[in-house]
Amino acid sequence: METMHEIAREAINQVPPECRVLPEHTEVIARNADALLSLTPEVINGFYETVYGHAPTAAIFHEGERPMREESLTNWWERTVRGPIDENYWAWMSMVGLIHVIRRVTNPMMLSMTDFVAGYVSNNAHRLNLDPDEQRRLVDALRRLAGMTGSVITWGYDHAVSAALFEVAGMPEALLARLRDAEIKTALVDAREEVGNG
Ligand code: HEM
């Protein structure tokens, strides 16, 4: 498998600059770090109330695990808000993706919860006493951060799955990809019949 830095770079290169976290976005997060950190307990609590409140996500956790998970998410939030959001940060996010694969946290679970965090900030930014332009910039930066976190994590997830299949099947990844595409083409014939044009 490629390194975490490589996986993160590949994912980021696929994201159009219009949607990326650029220096102006890391700067707006950094200069509002104290305001964002004031939301820490409610972001963490809202996150875990949400995942524990839904059977498929609640089923991921072992009994008694919640305090440890709250601690790791608090660590992520503080490290994200304090920065730096640089190459090492995105490599860390690739690894976090792999850590979740082992626990069977799926991409829909990850993507919806990165969106939850950005949405929480968006819904509560009016409480941070910022001027309207700065509030808008901060909400935009968090939305981009969530989007890119999702991109890096899901790309890492797909890599982990195909690299593992490669190891198990002993087949080159390119051949596996061709076989996969052939299967999907067949499945698409049935899919078109099932849903037509929507
Ligand atoms: C915004 C999305 C998420 C972020 C940023 C995040 C972040 C993290 C971090 C930083 C860790 C600690 C990794 C380490 O040990 O170094 C972790 C662990 C974990 N997370 Fe998440 N997480 C997210 C979403 C989820 C979701 C949706 C679930 C389940 C529904 C989940 C379940 C877990 C579990 C079970 C572990 C423990 C993994 C282990 O066995 O070590 N996470 N997460």
Side-chain angles (χ1 to χ4, degrees):
M1 196 191 296
E2 293 142 290
T3 67
M4 295 302 109
H5 281 81
E6 283 164 350
I7 290 175
R9 217 169 295 128
E10 284 171 10
I12 291 166
N13 285 339
Q14 292 172 67
V15 175
E18 287 73 12
C19 306
R20 276 189 211 170
V21 176
L22 301 172
E24 71 233 52
H25 307 115
T26 59
E27 281 158 22
V28 73
I29 292 172
R31 68 175 176 263
N32 291 292
D34 288 344
L36 287 170
L37 289 174
S38 74
L39 296 177
T40 306
E42 44 190 297
V43 169
I44 306 305
N45 188 52
F47 187 102
Y48 284 101
E49 284 297 299
T50 304
V51 288
Y52 274 91
H54 179 58
T57 40
I60 299 285
F61 300 102
H62 302 318
E63 210 179 314
E65 190 179 4
R66 185 163 172 169
M68 268 186 315
R69 296 288 62 87
E70 291 188 344
E71 202 180 311
S72 42
L73 199 72
T74 302
N75 173 40
W76 169 75
W77 176 245
E78 290 177 352
R79 164 71 181 79
T80 299
V81 168
R82 291 220 174 90
I85 298 174
D86 55 9
E87 280 208 351
N88 288 338
Y89 176 83
W90 295 115
W92 179 43
M93 282 305 99
S94 291
M95 189 186 75
V96 163
L98 298 198
I99 289 169
H100 289 81
V101 172
I102 305 286
R103 293 294 298 269
R104 304 196 170 213
V105 181
T106 62
N107 282 338
M109 293 174 186
M110 287 303 287
L111 290 173
S112 53
M113 292 314 292
T114 51
D115 186 62
F116 172 90
V117 174
Y120 192 91
V121 173
S122 173
N123 291 336
N124 291 279
H126 63 276
R127 291 166 42 213
L128 300 177
N129 297 324
L130 306 174
D131 82 59
D133 281 344
E134 184 73 345
Q135 182 178 316
R136 190 188 42 73
R137 284 191 291 263
L138 184 62
V139 166
D140 178 51
L142 263 293
R143 191 179 52 78
R144 286 164 183 267
L145 182 96
M148 259 178 67
T149 303
S151 299
V152 170
I153 284 178
T154 53
W155 186 245
Y157 187 104
D158 287 350
H159 260 271
V161 172
S162 68
L165 277 177
F166 169 52
E167 285 299 323
V168 172
M171 248 186 244
E173 263 185 285
L175 176 58
L176 267 178
R178 278 203 299 279
L179 291 172
R180 177 203 61 198
D181 291 352
E183 280 297 312
I184 292 175
K185 262 190 198 145
T186 311
L188 263 177
V189 174
D190 291 342
R192 283 196 196 287
E193 218 160 86
E194 180 192 342
V195 290
N197 286 323

